[in-house]
Amino acid sequence: MTHQDKVKLVRDNIVSGAVVYKELVGKYYLYVFENGFLEMYFGTDNYMHLTGVGSRVNSKQFYELAKEHKLQEKQIFFSSRFPLRTAIQKTTCLFDLPNFVKEGYFIIQDLITDTAKYPYAITNIDQSILMGLKMEDGMDDIYIPKSFRVNGKIFEKAEKDKIFEINYILSKTDKERKYNTILYKDNTKLEELDKIILDKIDLSILKE
């Protein structure tokens, strides 16, 4: 495969992945785990950071262009910071992103990598979404995806007492006040969760 073939592959993966990412955009997700909970939001300006490429357009334009199949190969680039090989690995796995909101993966707290510290990460060991705070409109308790890793080394960097199994994943749209859809649950009873968590949930779902 030539260099140009590889660039085209990455571009095509990004365009196809944007269609899948659209399922997540504009929704909040509540993850409940042994040590507490976290709330996550997938924004249009977060998608580019998950692809492993650099771009000459801003992050919101990047997603919109990809979603409309208008992103061009000349609008992405690669460097020591954005290696082509890594971009191929990441973009090939973009289609798995919806699994992070409906599968019983693991939450890692206070993850330190070679380049940064992340308050939380969600991982299935092979793939991981690393999170940072969404710092706007006073929403300092909402997390957003900052990086996507597709190797199994995240567990090696995590402290063993800061790895937790997910008990529940719930969702709501950005127009709804409380979480009203259960996407994943284990054997933990929802009504037995801490009050601070229950206050975020539409309890009518307990009757369904």
Side-chain angles (χ1 to χ4, degrees):
M1 185 180 293
T2 67
H3 175 80
Q4 195 56 41
D5 288 338
K6 293 177 182 179
V7 174
K8 184 179 185 302
L9 173 63
V10 170
R11 180 267 176 194
D12 291 348
N13 285 343
I14 290 171
V15 167
S16 299
V19 177
V20 175
Y21 188 77
K22 186 179 178 181
E23 299 175 23
L24 308 175
V25 169
K27 295 180 182 178
Y28 290 89
Y29 298 90
L30 175 65
Y31 292 83
V32 181
F33 53 98
E34 179 186 348
N35 200 45
F37 69 94
L38 67 89
E39 295 178 82
M40 187 175 182
Y41 181 78
F42 287 86
T44 57
D45 56 344
N46 303 131
Y47 180 65
M48 185 175 77
H49 305 298
L50 306 181
T51 65
V53 305
S55 179
R56 296 175 175 84
V57 299
N58 68 46
S59 56
K60 287 188 177 182
Q61 289 177 312
F62 182 93
Y63 170 70
E64 293 299 330
L65 288 169
K67 184 181 67 172
E68 299 298 329
H69 291 242
K70 294 179 180 179
L71 186 71
Q72 301 177 32
E73 292 168 27
K74 66 182 180 181
Q75 291 173 312
I76 61 177
F77 67 85
F78 308 94
S79 64
S80 58
R81 182 182 176 188
F82 303 108
L84 174 57
R85 180 179 178 181
T86 300
I88 292 173
Q89 293 172 336
K90 289 187 177 186
T91 59
T92 301
C93 297
L94 291 173
F95 312 99
D96 297 325
L97 289 175
N99 293 335
F100 283 82
V101 301
K102 59 186 180 183
E103 299 289 347
Y105 292 166
F106 297 92
I107 296 288
I108 297 176
Q109 195 170 18
D110 299 328
L111 177 69
I112 300 176
T113 70
D114 295 335
T115 56
K117 180 177 180 179
Y118 298 90
Y120 290 105
I122 305 172
T123 183
N124 64 2
I125 301 178
D126 294 324
Q127 302 171 357
S128 307
I129 293 178
L130 283 53
M131 290 178 266
L133 278 172
K134 177 179 173 65
M135 301 295 287
E136 63 177 43
D137 299 329
M139 299 172 63
D140 59 355
D141 58 346
I142 303 295
Y143 295 87
I144 55 175
K146 299 290 285 186
S147 182
F148 185 38
R149 304 294 174 89
V150 292
N151 59 55
K153 296 181 180 179
I154 292 299
F155 255 56
E156 298 174 8
K157 299 179 183 297
E159 297 180 32
K160 291 184 178 180
D161 61 347
K162 293 189 175 181
I163 301 173
F164 308 98
E165 293 185 17
I166 293 174
N167 305 127
Y168 274 91
I169 305 174
L170 299 97
S171 71
K172 66 177 181 178
T173 69
D174 53 9
K175 299 184 184 301
E176 294 170 322
R177 194 170 68 88
K178 293 197 173 187
Y179 292 92
N180 52 33
T181 302
I182 298 175
L183 302 175
Y184 170 82
K185 63 179 180 178
D186 64 5
N187 295 324
T188 305
K189 292 184 178 180
L190 192 63
E191 58 268 29
E192 294 179 356
L193 299 177
D194 290 344
K195 184 178 183 302
I196 190 173
I197 300 175
L198 291 176
D199 286 345
K200 296 177 177 291
I201 299 172
D202 180 351
L203 297 181
S204 65
I205 61 177
L206 292 175
K207 302 174 184 178
E208 297 178 358

